[in-house]
Amino acid sequence: MENKTGKILCIGNLCVDIKAYCPAEDDTEAYREGTIEIVPGGVARGMALNLKLLGMDSAILSYVGNDIFGDYLRRTLETKQIDTTLLHQSKEHKTALFSVMKNGTRDASCIYNTNIIKEITFDNEVINYIESNKEIKEYVLLNKIEEFNLKDL
C-alpha cells in the first residue's frame, strides 16, 4: 500500500503493560501459580503502530525512562520502522508502567504511573524536526497531555 498522506506524528504515552492472571480464588497466599505477560503499550504507541499497519508512515513524540523497559519500547518501535527521532529518554522518571492483575472471578485491579508524560513539550527541537521533515502532514495527540506543555502547537 502506497503512503499518500505523508508522515503522521503521534504525541502521547508509551508504557509497558504488565498483565498478571491467577485462576485461584484465594488471594491470601503470598505465592500462587499464574501467568505474567509483559507487552508494549501506550496510546501513542498504539496509534503509531496501527497507522503503520495501515500503510502510513508514523513518528512518535514521547518519553521513556533510562531503563530496560524504555529500551524495550524503543526497540519494538524501531523494529516496526516507526520514526523514534523524538522519543526522548527521561532524566527524572522511569518508563511508564500499567499493571493489571486478575484472579479467579474477581474484578481486575490496575496500578499505573504515567508521570513521565508531563515531560512531553512542543519545544524548539520538535519545531525544527517538523520544519525539516516536510513529509509530516498530520498530528494525533493523546488527550491527557497537559495544555501548558503544548501551548505553542
Side-chain angles (χ1 to χ4, degrees):
M1 179 185 297
E2 184 181 336
N3 179 11
K4 296 180 181 178
T5 62
K7 189 178 283 186
I8 300 171
L9 180 61
C10 302
I11 306 166
N13 188 19
L14 266 80
C15 68
V16 171
D17 292 344
I18 303 169
K19 304 174 186 179
Y21 175 73
C22 174
E25 293 288 331
D26 182 9
D27 63 357
T28 59
E29 294 293 321
Y31 299 99
R32 299 181 301 279
E33 195 66 33
T35 61
I36 299 173
E37 183 181 6
I38 297 176
V39 297
V43 174
R45 184 211 59 88
M47 290 185 296
L49 179 60
N50 287 324
L51 290 166
K52 189 69 173 177
L53 291 172
L54 290 170
M56 298 175 224
D57 289 332
S58 60
I60 195 150
L61 168 57
S62 192
Y63 273 81
V64 293
N66 182 15
D67 52 41
I68 192 170
F69 296 120
D71 294 342
Y72 169 64
L73 289 169
R74 182 179 300 280
R75 274 193 324 274
T76 60
L77 291 168
E78 289 172 350
T79 299
K80 301 294 184 185
Q81 299 177 335
I82 294 170
D83 183 345
T84 59
T85 303
L86 296 176
L87 177 56
H88 301 291
Q89 194 172 75
S90 174
K91 293 179 181 142
E92 296 179 32
H93 296 97
K94 295 185 182 299
T95 299
L97 300 176
F98 185 85
S99 177
V100 179
M101 186 165 155
K102 171 87 171 107
N103 67 325
T105 58
R106 289 192 170 163
D107 290 340
S109 63
C110 301
I111 300 171
Y112 62 93
N113 183 337
T114 57
N115 286 334
I116 197 167
I117 65 174
K118 293 177 184 174
E119 293 187 41
I120 298 172
T121 57
F122 195 78
D123 58 13
N124 285 336
E125 181 187 11
V126 176
I127 293 167
N128 291 337
Y129 173 82
I130 292 169
E131 288 176 351
S132 68
N133 200 333
K134 299 297 182 198
E135 59 188 31
I136 293 200
K137 304 293 183 199
E138 302 290 336
Y139 310 89
V140 289
L141 177 65
L142 172 67
N143 65 348
K144 294 189 181 216
I145 302 294
E146 301 291 333
E147 282 185 39
F148 63 87
N149 289 4
L150 301 170
K151 65 180 180 269
D152 296 327
L153 184 61

